[in-house]
Amino acid sequence: MRMTPSRAAALAAFLAMLPCGLAQADADRLESDLRARFAEAPGELSIGEVSDSLLGGETAAEDLSFVDDDGSKLDVARYVVEGDYERPDAVVMEGLRLERSGSEAGVLTADRVRLDGPGGPLPWPEGPLRDVDFEANELTAEGLRLELEAAPVTSSDGKKTLAPTGPSSGWLTMERLHATELSRQAIGHLEMSGIEGHGEGLEEMGDGDFTLASLSLEGMRHLHDDGKEPTLDQMTLNDLSIVSDRLVADLARLTYDGDMRDGEGGMRLESLDLDLAQMIELAPPEKRTELRLASNVLTGGSGRLALDAEFDGRWEALGRKSLLNGEGRITAGDAFRWNIDAELPVRLPEGVEPAAYLAEMEDLRGVTLLGGRIDTTLADLGLFGRMPAVMAASRGVSEAEFLDQARTQAKGFGTMLGPEVGALLNGLVDMMVGQAGELTVHLTLPPESDADTLAADPLGLPSKLSMRVETR
């Protein structure tokens, strides 16, 4: 059949109008949904142009802005819903700026935020995006920056200005953030890279700057109050550098495995370098002499202390009993090395499931110790050889007099607290004299004892434990 020019033009016009009508419907729905969502909070919303792509598949709102009655403000340069509007493939926000006022004053900006598998065109649960509590399969954010400025705190009568309880001000930037399996209570995986920050009034650290190459977190659960403590399965931190009023340090790597459901976990700290010399220069003048003495003992005058540490824990369920094993080591270069090895059979509280209980257990409270052993060794890497000279100088006596006093004090404590304590203190003196390079303490626990009771009476432990001291 031959189509006349007039019929062809009518068909072309109909086909051209069809996607435009569908597109306009999605654009209208996006504007309507945004206004309905933001209407749940007091404030004023403005939206620029809302449109859809010619063939559908992308609906966008330009220049979205919401000003809360408390002065908080949200701006989004472009809000895009990709794919089917009801079940979008992704939601993208470009040029995001969230400004909060009052006691939580601060500004959060992001060049681009993408949510994959968001579950709907407006993926945050409620309100005007004020708590940024997204629900999505995956989140990617680029060009993040957070600026904080603590608001003045006044007394209850309004007459005095009080010091802020948190950081007075600071900023944090991040090149990229990637997260998966996001919900209100959990995040499956979170990775951040290219992090830099500055803070002022950071309690014990004072003012300072830091950089962090990357931080990775796995298995974050119970993030909001649901009656359980927040948990973290794994963490990896790489290349952290801190320069503050009271701390100057570099850390190559920190790894943490807190998921004990597989029967084991642990922590590794690799190459923590403390610049004690620079920290002393930053300290108040009246404290520098004392700090230099401590630094000389720890570092032999170099002013730098390098630390490495590792701890491993394992558990095995044996019917109503369980076996806990732990190993740990801390090495302070040119100072000391400390090792610990423990094997503890325990009985768990009635009615608990061993795998779940041991996986979340943070200490021995609530369990019954069924004997077991703890062996710990302290090795001298230079610290104890330096101690007599520095300690004697600080007391204004000779090294020989200081060591004689130390022997006398060890004997006195042994008389008061038992021969085991006396042997331990004498072993430390032997290390200072150079007669021993290592001191090992072997502890054997009583067959039936409550961990809470033992922890409540640390001074009574020597009488309850079997203790043997060795030096070599």
Side-chain angles (χ1 to χ4, degrees):
M1 179 179 69
R2 185 176 180 183
M3 184 176 296
T4 65
S6 60
R7 289 179 177 177
L11 178 61
F14 173 77
L15 293 175
M17 291 173 62
L18 181 60
C20 290
L22 295 175
Q24 186 59 41
D26 282 347
D28 291 343
R29 291 172 68 189
L30 176 58
E31 181 172 1
S32 176
D33 289 345
L34 284 169
R35 293 192 181 282
R37 177 64 56 85
F38 281 82
E40 298 178 14
E44 183 178 348
L45 172 68
S46 63
I47 303 176
E49 182 182 359
V50 184
S51 62
D52 205 315
S53 60
L54 180 62
L55 298 179
E58 181 178 294
T59 306
E62 311 278 348
D63 299 326
L64 188 153
S65 179
F66 178 80
V67 181
D68 204 324
D69 283 355
D70 67 0
S72 299
K73 186 178 181 181
L74 169 69
D75 293 315
V76 180
R78 192 164 188 264
Y79 186 96
V80 182
V81 180
E82 296 183 354
D84 179 77
Y85 183 81
E86 290 289 344
R87 299 180 180 274
D89 298 326
V91 166
V92 179
M93 287 174 280
E94 299 174 355
L96 172 68
R97 178 184 174 88
L98 179 60
E99 183 175 350
R100 303 192 70 163
S101 58
S103 60
E104 299 179 353
V107 178
L108 171 66
T109 60
D111 294 342
R112 191 171 191 270
V113 178
R114 178 184 176 90
L115 296 162
D116 289 284
L122 306 181
W124 64 97
E126 60 186 14
L129 195 66
R130 58 185 309 129
D131 294 321
V132 199
D133 189 12
F134 294 119
E135 294 180 354
N137 296 336
E138 188 172 356
L139 179 149
T140 304
E142 299 171 350
L144 289 162
R145 181 178 179 88
L146 174 64
E147 298 183 17
L148 297 175
E149 186 68 42
V153 179
T154 58
S155 59
S156 57
D157 59 8
K159 297 180 179 180
K160 296 181 180 180
T161 300
L162 307 177
T165 57
S168 60
S169 64
W171 55 263
L172 174 73
T173 62
M174 188 182 309
E175 292 179 359
R176 189 174 188 273
L177 179 150
H178 179 249
T180 61
E181 302 174 49
L182 291 95
S183 70
R184 179 175 178 80
Q185 288 294 344
I187 299 176
H189 172 80
L190 175 63
E191 185 169 356
M192 297 168 277
S193 60
I195 304 168
E196 297 184 9
H198 170 80
E200 298 179 6
L202 300 174
E203 296 183 357
E204 297 300 322
M205 292 179 60
D207 300 346
D209 299 278
F210 79 94
T211 60
L212 177 61
S214 65
L215 175 64
S216 175
L217 305 172
E218 300 276 354
M220 303 169 66
R221 292 184 291 275
H222 312 300
L223 298 180
H224 292 264
D225 186 11
D226 62 354
K228 297 183 178 180
E229 291 294 325
T231 60
L232 173 66
D233 287 349
Q234 295 182 348
M235 177 183 74
T236 302
L237 178 153
N238 290 303
D239 295 329
L240 170 65
S241 179
I242 299 174
V243 179
S244 74
D245 290 344
R246 301 179 183 90
L247 177 65
V248 181
D250 294 297
L251 174 61
R253 184 177 176 87
L254 173 66
T255 58
Y256 166 77
D257 179 3
D259 183 8
M260 294 290 288
R261 289 170 295 182
D262 59 358
E264 58 183 34
M267 185 274 288
R268 299 282 188 282
L269 184 148
E270 303 175 23
S271 299
L272 173 60
D273 185 3
L274 300 173
D275 192 339
L276 301 183
Q278 188 172 350
M279 291 163 63
I280 291 170
E281 293 303 316
L282 294 170
E286 64 274 11
K287 295 184 178 181
R288 291 174 187 171
T289 299
E290 181 180 348
L291 291 173
R292 285 195 182 94
L293 288 175
S295 174
N296 289 337
V297 173
L298 286 169
T299 70
S302 70
R304 302 191 75 93
L305 181 65
L307 293 172
D308 293 276
E310 55 183 297
F311 296 92
D312 294 297
R314 298 177 301 280
W315 66 265
E316 180 181 359
L318 305 171
R320 292 188 61 194
K321 298 188 295 185
S322 296
L323 183 64
L324 306 181
N325 291 278
E327 299 175 354
R329 181 176 66 183
I330 298 176
T331 302
D334 299 324
F336 66 88
R337 181 173 58 248
W338 178 76
N339 289 16
I340 185 170
D341 181 24
E343 183 178 272
L344 304 174
V346 300
R347 183 169 62 244
L348 302 181
E350 292 289 339
V352 303
E353 199 282 315
Y357 185 86
L358 293 170
E360 297 185 2
M361 187 176 70
E362 297 181 353
D363 52 45
L364 295 175
R365 288 181 295 180
V367 306
T368 301
L369 301 173
L370 304 176
R373 63 169 182 83
I374 301 175
D375 301 320
T376 180
T377 299
L378 180 64
D380 182 27
L381 302 181
L383 170 67
F384 289 90
R386 295 188 291 265
M387 286 182 68
V390 176
M391 297 297 291
S394 66
R395 298 185 182 185
V397 299
S398 67
E399 290 188 42
E401 289 174 319
F402 167 75
L403 292 170
D404 285 341
Q405 292 174 2
R407 290 284 190 197
T408 301
Q409 291 174 349
K411 183 178 179 180
F413 279 110
T415 301
M416 291 187 296
L417 302 177
E420 296 86 357
V421 175
L424 172 62
L425 297 177
N426 266 309
L428 295 175
V429 178
D430 287 341
M431 294 176 71
M432 287 189 283
V433 173
Q435 295 177 353
E438 289 186 355
L439 183 149
T440 301
V441 178
H442 304 277
L443 299 174
T444 302
L445 280 67
E448 288 277 346
S449 56
D450 183 81
D452 293 340
T453 303
L454 293 177
D457 185 21
L459 294 179
L461 286 178
S463 64
K464 299 174 183 178
L465 308 177
S466 174
M467 178 175 173
R468 181 166 53 90
V469 179
E470 293 181 347
T471 56
R472 55 182 178 273

